[in-house]
CSV table of all heavy atoms in Angstrom, one decimal:
chain,number,residue,atom,x,y,z
A,110,ARG,N,1.9,-12.7,-7.3
A,110,ARG,CA,1.6,-13.1,-8.7
A,110,ARG,C,0.9,-14.4,-8.7
A,110,ARG,O,0.2,-14.8,-9.7
A,110,ARG,CB,2.9,-13.2,-9.5
A,110,ARG,CG,3.7,-11.9,-9.6
A,110,ARG,CD,5.0,-12.1,-10.2
A,110,ARG,NE,5.8,-12.9,-9.3
A,110,ARG,CZ,7.0,-13.3,-9.5
A,110,ARG,NH1,7.6,-12.9,-10.6
A,110,ARG,NH2,7.7,-14.0,-8.7
A,111,LYS,N,0.9,-15.2,-7.6
A,111,LYS,CA,0.2,-16.5,-7.5
A,111,LYS,C,-1.2,-16.3,-6.8
A,111,LYS,O,-1.8,-17.3,-6.6
A,111,LYS,CB,1.1,-17.4,-6.7
A,111,LYS,CG,2.4,-17.8,-7.4
A,111,LYS,CD,3.2,-18.7,-6.6
A,111,LYS,CE,4.5,-19.0,-7.3
A,111,LYS,NZ,5.4,-19.8,-6.5
A,112,GLY,N,-1.6,-15.1,-6.6
A,112,GLY,CA,-2.9,-14.9,-6.0
A,112,GLY,C,-2.8,-14.4,-4.6
A,112,GLY,O,-1.8,-14.4,-4.0
A,113,LEU,N,-4.0,-14.0,-4.0
A,113,LEU,CA,-4.1,-13.4,-2.7
A,113,LEU,C,-4.5,-14.4,-1.6
A,113,LEU,O,-4.3,-14.0,-0.4
A,113,LEU,CB,-5.1,-12.3,-2.7
A,113,LEU,CG,-4.7,-11.1,-3.6
A,113,LEU,CD1,-5.9,-10.1,-3.7
A,113,LEU,CD2,-3.6,-10.3,-3.0
A,114,GLN,N,-5.0,-15.5,-1.9
A,114,GLN,CA,-5.6,-16.4,-0.8
A,114,GLN,C,-4.5,-16.8,0.2
A,114,GLN,O,-4.8,-16.9,1.4
A,114,GLN,CB,-6.2,-17.6,-1.4
A,114,GLN,CG,-7.5,-17.3,-2.2
A,114,GLN,CD,-8.5,-16.5,-1.4
A,114,GLN,OE1,-8.6,-16.7,-0.2
A,114,GLN,NE2,-9.2,-15.6,-2.1
A,115,SER,N,-3.3,-16.9,-0.2
A,115,SER,CA,-2.2,-17.3,0.7
A,115,SER,C,-1.9,-16.2,1.7
A,115,SER,O,-1.3,-16.4,2.8
A,115,SER,CB,-1.0,-17.7,0.0
A,115,SER,OG,-0.5,-16.7,-0.8
A,116,VAL,N,-2.3,-14.9,1.4
A,116,VAL,CA,-2.1,-13.8,2.4
A,116,VAL,C,-2.8,-14.1,3.7
A,116,VAL,O,-2.2,-14.0,4.8
A,116,VAL,CB,-2.5,-12.5,1.8
A,116,VAL,CG1,-2.4,-11.4,2.8
A,116,VAL,CG2,-1.6,-12.1,0.6
A,117,PHE,N,-4.1,-14.5,3.6
A,117,PHE,CA,-4.8,-14.7,4.9
A,117,PHE,C,-4.4,-16.1,5.5
A,117,PHE,O,-4.5,-16.2,6.7
A,117,PHE,CB,-6.3,-14.6,4.7
A,117,PHE,CG,-6.9,-13.3,4.8
A,117,PHE,CD1,-8.1,-13.0,4.4
A,117,PHE,CD2,-6.1,-12.3,5.4
A,117,PHE,CE1,-8.7,-11.7,4.5
A,117,PHE,CE2,-6.7,-11.0,5.6
A,117,PHE,CZ,-7.9,-10.7,5.1
A,118,ARG,N,-4.0,-17.0,4.7
A,118,ARG,CA,-3.5,-18.3,5.3
A,118,ARG,C,-2.3,-18.0,6.1
A,118,ARG,O,-2.0,-18.8,7.1
A,118,ARG,CB,-3.2,-19.3,4.2
A,118,ARG,CG,-4.5,-19.9,3.6
A,118,ARG,CD,-4.2,-21.2,2.9
A,118,ARG,NE,-3.2,-21.0,1.8
A,118,ARG,CZ,-3.6,-20.7,0.5
A,118,ARG,NH1,-4.9,-20.6,0.2
A,118,ARG,NH2,-2.7,-20.6,-0.4
A,119,LYS,N,-1.5,-17.0,5.8
A,119,LYS,CA,-0.2,-16.7,6.5
A,119,LYS,C,-0.5,-15.7,7.6
A,119,LYS,O,0.5,-15.3,8.3
A,119,LYS,CB,0.8,-16.2,5.5
A,119,LYS,CG,1.3,-17.3,4.5
A,119,LYS,CD,2.4,-16.8,3.6
A,119,LYS,CE,2.8,-17.9,2.7
A,119,LYS,NZ,3.9,-17.4,1.8
A,120,SER,N,-1.7,-15.2,7.7
A,120,SER,CA,-2.0,-14.2,8.7
A,120,SER,C,-3.0,-14.7,9.7
A,120,SER,O,-3.9,-15.4,9.4
A,120,SER,CB,-2.5,-12.9,8.0
A,120,SER,OG,-2.9,-12.0,9.0
A,121,SER,N,-2.8,-14.3,11.0
A,121,SER,CA,-3.8,-14.7,12.0
A,121,SER,C,-4.9,-13.8,12.0
A,121,SER,O,-5.9,-14.0,12.7
A,121,SER,CB,-3.1,-14.8,13.4
A,121,SER,OG,-2.5,-13.5,13.7
A,122,ASP,N,-4.8,-12.7,11.3
A,122,ASP,CA,-5.8,-11.6,11.3
A,122,ASP,C,-6.6,-11.7,10.0
A,122,ASP,O,-6.1,-11.5,9.0
A,122,ASP,CB,-5.1,-10.3,11.5
A,122,ASP,CG,-6.1,-9.1,11.7
A,122,ASP,OD1,-7.3,-9.3,11.6
A,122,ASP,OD2,-5.6,-8.0,11.9
A,123,THR,N,-7.9,-11.9,10.2
A,123,THR,CA,-8.8,-12.1,9.0
A,123,THR,C,-9.8,-11.0,8.8
A,123,THR,O,-10.7,-11.2,8.0
A,123,THR,CB,-9.4,-13.5,8.9
A,123,THR,OG1,-10.2,-13.6,10.1
A,123,THR,CG2,-8.4,-14.6,8.8
A,124,ASP,N,-9.8,-10.0,9.6
A,124,ASP,CA,-10.8,-8.9,9.5
A,124,ASP,C,-10.5,-8.1,8.2
A,124,ASP,O,-9.3,-8.0,7.7
A,124,ASP,CB,-10.7,-7.9,10.7
A,124,ASP,CG,-11.2,-8.5,11.9
A,124,ASP,OD1,-12.0,-9.5,11.9
A,124,ASP,OD2,-10.8,-8.1,13.0
A,125,PRO,N,-11.5,-7.5,7.6
A,125,PRO,CA,-11.3,-6.8,6.3
A,125,PRO,C,-10.5,-5.5,6.6
A,125,PRO,O,-10.4,-5.0,7.7
A,125,PRO,CB,-12.7,-6.5,5.8
A,125,PRO,CG,-13.6,-6.7,7.0
A,125,PRO,CD,-12.9,-7.6,8.0
A,126,PHE,N,-10.0,-5.0,5.5
A,126,PHE,CA,-9.1,-3.8,5.6
A,126,PHE,C,-9.9,-2.5,5.1
A,126,PHE,O,-10.7,-2.6,4.2
A,126,PHE,CB,-7.9,-4.0,4.7
A,126,PHE,CG,-7.0,-5.1,5.2
A,126,PHE,CD1,-7.1,-6.4,4.7
A,126,PHE,CD2,-6.1,-4.8,6.2
A,126,PHE,CE1,-6.3,-7.4,5.2
A,126,PHE,CE2,-5.3,-5.8,6.7
A,126,PHE,CZ,-5.4,-7.1,6.2
A,127,ASP,N,-9.6,-1.4,5.8
A,127,ASP,CA,-10.2,-0.1,5.4
A,127,ASP,C,-9.5,0.5,4.2
A,127,ASP,O,-10.2,1.1,3.4
A,127,ASP,CB,-10.1,0.9,6.6
A,127,ASP,CG,-10.8,0.3,7.8
A,127,ASP,OD1,-12.0,0.0,7.7
A,127,ASP,OD2,-10.1,0.1,8.8
A,128,ILE,N,-8.2,0.3,4.1
A,128,ILE,CA,-7.5,0.8,2.9
A,128,ILE,C,-6.5,-0.2,2.5
A,128,ILE,O,-5.7,-0.8,3.3
A,128,ILE,CB,-6.7,2.1,3.3
A,128,ILE,CG1,-7.7,3.2,3.7
A,128,ILE,CG2,-5.8,2.6,2.1
A,128,ILE,CD1,-7.0,4.5,4.2
A,129,ILE,N,-6.5,-0.5,1.2
A,129,ILE,CA,-5.6,-1.4,0.5
A,129,ILE,C,-4.8,-0.7,-0.5
A,129,ILE,O,-5.3,-0.1,-1.4
A,129,ILE,CB,-6.4,-2.6,-0.1
A,129,ILE,CG1,-7.2,-3.4,0.9
A,129,ILE,CG2,-5.4,-3.5,-0.9
A,129,ILE,CD1,-8.1,-4.4,0.3
A,130,PHE,N,-3.5,-0.7,-0.3
A,130,PHE,CA,-2.5,-0.2,-1.3
A,130,PHE,C,-2.0,-1.3,-2.1
A,130,PHE,O,-1.6,-2.3,-1.6
A,130,PHE,CB,-1.4,0.6,-0.6
A,130,PHE,CG,-1.7,1.8,0.2
A,130,PHE,CD1,-1.8,1.7,1.6
A,130,PHE,CD2,-2.0,3.0,-0.4
A,130,PHE,CE1,-2.2,2.8,2.3
A,130,PHE,CE2,-2.4,4.1,0.3
A,130,PHE,CZ,-2.4,4.0,1.7
A,131,LEU,N,-1.9,-1.1,-3.4
A,131,LEU,CA,-1.1,-2.0,-4.3
A,131,LEU,C,-0.3,-1.3,-5.3
A,131,LEU,O,-0.7,-0.4,-5.9
A,131,LEU,CB,-2.1,-3.1,-4.9
A,131,LEU,CG,-3.1,-2.6,-5.9
A,131,LEU,CD1,-2.8,-3.1,-7.3
A,131,LEU,CD2,-4.4,-3.2,-5.5
A,132,ASP,N,1.0,-1.6,-5.2
A,132,ASP,CA,2.0,-0.9,-6.0
A,132,ASP,C,2.9,-2.0,-6.7
A,132,ASP,O,4.1,-2.0,-6.3
A,132,ASP,CB,2.8,0.1,-5.1
A,132,ASP,CG,3.8,0.9,-5.9
A,132,ASP,OD1,3.8,0.9,-7.2
A,132,ASP,OD2,4.7,1.5,-5.3
A,133,PRO,N,2.4,-2.8,-7.6
A,133,PRO,CA,3.2,-3.8,-8.2
A,133,PRO,C,4.2,-3.2,-9.2
A,133,PRO,O,4.1,-2.0,-9.6
A,133,PRO,CB,2.2,-4.7,-8.9
A,133,PRO,CG,1.1,-3.7,-9.3
A,133,PRO,CD,1.0,-2.8,-8.1
A,134,PRO,N,5.2,-4.0,-9.7
A,134,PRO,CA,6.0,-3.5,-10.8
A,134,PRO,C,5.2,-3.0,-12.0
A,134,PRO,O,4.2,-3.7,-12.3
A,134,PRO,CB,6.8,-4.7,-11.2
A,134,PRO,CG,6.8,-5.6,-9.9
A,134,PRO,CD,5.5,-5.3,-9.3
A,135,TYR,N,5.6,-1.9,-12.6
A,135,TYR,CA,4.8,-1.4,-13.7
A,135,TYR,C,4.9,-2.3,-14.9
A,135,TYR,O,5.8,-3.1,-15.1
A,135,TYR,CB,5.5,0.0,-14.1
A,135,TYR,CG,5.2,1.2,-13.2
A,135,TYR,CD1,5.7,2.4,-13.5
A,135,TYR,CD2,4.3,1.1,-12.1
A,135,TYR,CE1,5.5,3.5,-12.7
A,135,TYR,CE2,4.1,2.2,-11.3
A,135,TYR,CZ,4.7,3.4,-11.6
A,135,TYR,OH,4.4,4.5,-10.8
A,136,ASP,N,3.9,-2.1,-15.8
A,136,ASP,CA,3.9,-2.7,-17.2
A,136,ASP,C,3.9,-4.3,-17.2
A,136,ASP,O,4.3,-4.9,-18.2
A,136,ASP,CB,5.1,-2.2,-18.0
A,136,ASP,CG,5.2,-0.7,-18.1
A,136,ASP,OD1,4.1,-0.1,-18.2
A,136,ASP,OD2,6.3,-0.2,-18.0
A,137,LYS,N,3.4,-4.9,-16.1
A,137,LYS,CA,3.3,-6.3,-16.1
A,137,LYS,C,1.9,-6.8,-15.9
A,137,LYS,O,1.6,-8.0,-15.7
A,137,LYS,CB,4.2,-6.9,-15.0
A,137,LYS,CG,5.7,-6.6,-15.2
A,137,LYS,CD,6.5,-7.3,-14.1
A,137,LYS,CE,8.0,-6.9,-14.3
A,137,LYS,NZ,8.6,-7.4,-15.5
A,138,ASN,N,0.9,-5.9,-16.0
A,138,ASN,CA,-0.5,-6.2,-15.8
A,138,ASN,C,-0.8,-6.7,-14.4
A,138,ASN,O,-1.9,-7.3,-14.2
A,138,ASN,CB,-1.0,-7.2,-16.9
A,138,ASN,CG,-2.5,-7.1,-17.0
A,138,ASN,OD1,-3.1,-6.0,-17.0
A,138,ASN,ND2,-3.1,-8.3,-17.3
A,139,LEU,N,0.1,-6.6,-13.5
A,139,LEU,CA,-0.1,-7.1,-12.1
A,139,LEU,C,-1.2,-6.3,-11.4
A,139,LEU,O,-1.9,-6.8,-10.5
A,139,LEU,CB,1.2,-7.1,-11.3
A,139,LEU,CG,2.2,-8.2,-11.8
A,139,LEU,CD1,3.5,-8.0,-11.1
A,139,LEU,CD2,1.6,-9.6,-11.6
A,140,ALA,N,-1.2,-4.9,-11.6
A,140,ALA,CA,-2.3,-4.1,-10.9
A,140,ALA,C,-3.7,-4.6,-11.3
A,140,ALA,O,-4.5,-4.8,-10.4
A,140,ALA,CB,-2.1,-2.7,-11.3
A,141,GLN,N,-3.9,-4.8,-12.6
A,141,GLN,CA,-5.2,-5.3,-13.0
A,141,GLN,C,-5.5,-6.7,-12.5
A,141,GLN,O,-6.6,-6.9,-12.0
A,141,GLN,CB,-5.3,-5.3,-14.6
A,141,GLN,CG,-6.6,-5.8,-15.1
A,141,GLN,CD,-7.8,-5.0,-14.9
A,141,GLN,OE1,-7.7,-3.7,-14.8
A,141,GLN,NE2,-8.9,-5.6,-14.7
Side-chain angles (χ1 to χ4, degrees):
R110 295 170 299 178
K111 296 179 180 175
L113 293 170
Q114 291 308 325
S115 60
V116 172
F117 271 166
R118 283 199 301 270
K119 294 181 179 184
S120 173
S121 58
D122 188 352
T123 57
D124 290 336
F126 295 94
D127 302 301
I128 299 176
I129 299 173
F130 295 102
L131 61 113
D132 182 14
Y135 286 177
D136 303 323
K137 297 184 183 294
N138 200 37
L139 290 171
Q141 178 67 31

